[in-house]
Amino acid sequence: MAKRIQFSAYGGPEVLEYADYAPAEPGPQEVRVRNRAIGLNFIDTYYRSGLYPAPHFPTSLGTEGAGEVDAVGSEVTQFKVGDRVAYATGPLGAYSELHVLPADKLVRLPDSISFEQAAAVMLKGLTVQYLLRQTFPLQGGETILFHAAAGGVGQIACQWAKALGVKLIGTVSSEEKAEQAKAKGAWATIDYSRENVVQRVLELTNGAKCPVVYDSVGKDTWETSLDCVAPRGLLVSFGNASGPVAGVNLGILAQKGSLFVTRPTLFGYASTPERLQAMADELFSLIADGRIKVEVSQRFALADAAKAHAALASRQTTGSTVLIP
């Protein structure tokens, strides 16, 4: 038997329970990983609350972790027992001591990166990779708007943008978070609790607005984000922290300057093992040369996952949080 976090009904953090379970044997093309660290991400709360449907009940949570290969299926040739690996693209079940997943969801983890670093950075770092390098391939010199710049994804985006020579304007909710974003490389910050975001973007860009706006907040910032996009620019809506965007009239894109909108996911970009490994390799190289620094800001025991979810939902966390089995 092993331990995991599971839930049997949608709800708040209180539905999460720390329970015994029998880990499965890996199928022919699967690998079983002994988790050493597990990533905590906002998407986990979407599954817990029912915004995203769970595949069945009871079910565990989480799609990100790092550890050692514990067992391999009969057809797996690229990994062996003892290999250091990391993963970020599911399936659900990372909130566990042992997790079985397809071999093509794993990447090799360099010795230079710790398990905690990998669990803290994989999902967020790969998200930033596809946002800045694929969804809108930044060339350097652009001025962009990135919401929630002091969060886990935001702090990596600040560093990556600076490495690319991009001026990142980050929205934050406090002076403390503004300082954190600037320390990570944000060119400017806007405290939306006391400043008008659209007005400040106009001031910072001399009226030009931004060729691309990255928005993980969703419903609450949808209109604001559209008003910050330059004519024929792109709004990248990649999260629903405040709830999903609904009831959109496409005519608003014409009214605001022939705008483009996309709703990408990591799964859509890391669509093959080769693409996944290439994205991870670029992320790892930036970490190795010091242009991206991975800091674990909070650690919770796996048994305390409910407390971690409560802290995340109440915005008490900054940067990256990991669960330790």
Side-chain angles (χ1 to χ4, degrees):
M1 299 294 284
K3 290 286 192 179
R4 73 173 184 177
I5 293 293
Q6 64 183 35
F7 65 110
S8 299
Y10 299 124
E14 70 279 355
V15 303
L16 300 180
E17 59 176 339
Y18 189 52
D20 292 315
Y21 80 109
E25 291 297 320
Q29 298 180 11
E30 293 180 327
V31 170
R32 189 168 65 205
V33 176
R34 180 170 295 280
N35 285 323
R36 299 301 183 186
I38 300 154
L40 177 75
N41 297 284
F42 226 101
I43 193 173
D44 302 342
T45 71
Y46 299 166
Y47 283 105
R48 188 206 69 223
S49 68
L51 178 61
Y52 290 174
H56 53 75
F57 285 126
T59 188
S60 187
L61 273 177
T63 61
E64 177 184 43
E68 298 144 339
V69 173
D70 178 74
V72 298
S74 59
E75 298 177 11
V76 175
T77 58
Q78 65 270 50
F79 297 105
K80 65 182 186 303
V81 172
D83 282 349
R84 302 177 83 250
V85 293
Y87 57 92
T89 57
L92 290 181
Y95 282 29
S96 59
E97 292 177 339
L98 292 165
H99 184 30
V100 175
L101 66 166
D104 61 9
K105 300 297 185 184
L106 294 171
V107 298
R108 291 190 174 278
L109 182 63
D111 291 338
S112 58
I113 299 178
S114 72
F115 294 127
E116 286 193 11
Q117 285 179 312
V121 79
M122 276 292 289
L123 185 58
K124 301 173 185 68
L126 293 178
T127 296
V128 175
Q129 197 282 338
Y130 84 72
L131 290 173
L132 273 57
R133 303 291 288 149
Q134 298 187 72
T135 306
F136 190 99
L138 294 166
Q139 304 301 314
E142 300 94 342
T143 301
I144 67 173
L145 181 66
F146 205 103
H147 287 291
V153 172
Q155 290 194 20
I156 296 172
C158 289
Q159 296 177 76
W160 208 317
K162 184 177 181 180
L164 292 170
V166 170
K167 294 180 177 180
L168 183 146
I169 303 169
T171 68
V172 296
S173 60
S174 68
E175 185 176 338
E176 179 185 4
K177 290 190 175 184
E179 292 174 357
Q180 292 169 350
K182 287 178 181 176
K184 293 298 183 184
W187 173 67
T189 58
I190 302 172
D191 184 346
Y192 62 79
S193 69
R194 60 181 183 83
E195 295 180 286
N196 183 296
V197 174
V198 177
Q199 181 181 332
R200 286 291 293 135
V201 166
L202 287 170
E203 292 170 357
L204 290 165
T205 62
N206 295 318
K209 302 185 181 180
C210 299
V212 60
V213 172
Y214 296 100
D215 188 340
S216 62
V217 179
K219 177 172 62 72
D220 288 355
T221 52
W222 169 252
E223 290 277 355
T224 294
S225 291
L226 287 174
D227 286 336
C228 293
V229 180
R232 299 179 302 283
L234 175 66
L235 170 55
V236 183
S237 177
F238 69 100
N240 312 294
S242 67
V245 176
V248 175
N249 176 3
L250 289 180
I252 197 172
L253 302 179
Q255 297 167 16
K256 293 184 181 296
S258 298
L259 306 183
F260 295 86
V261 174
T262 184
R263 180 62 175 87
T265 66
L266 173 57
F267 306 99
Y269 282 88
S271 54
T272 68
E274 295 77 19
R275 292 191 69 162
L276 175 60
Q277 188 68 58
M279 292 166 66
D281 287 344
E282 183 176 9
L283 171 64
F284 294 153
S285 69
L286 287 166
I287 296 171
D289 67 17
R291 287 184 288 174
I292 291 180
K293 291 181 171 59
V294 181
E295 298 173 359
V296 178
S297 302
Q298 294 86 207
R299 294 172 179 83
F300 290 85
L302 177 60
D304 293 330
K307 294 180 181 177
H309 274 230
L312 185 66
S314 61
R315 303 194 182 213
Q316 295 175 19
T317 65
T318 60
S320 297
T321 303
V322 297
L323 306 175
I324 306 299

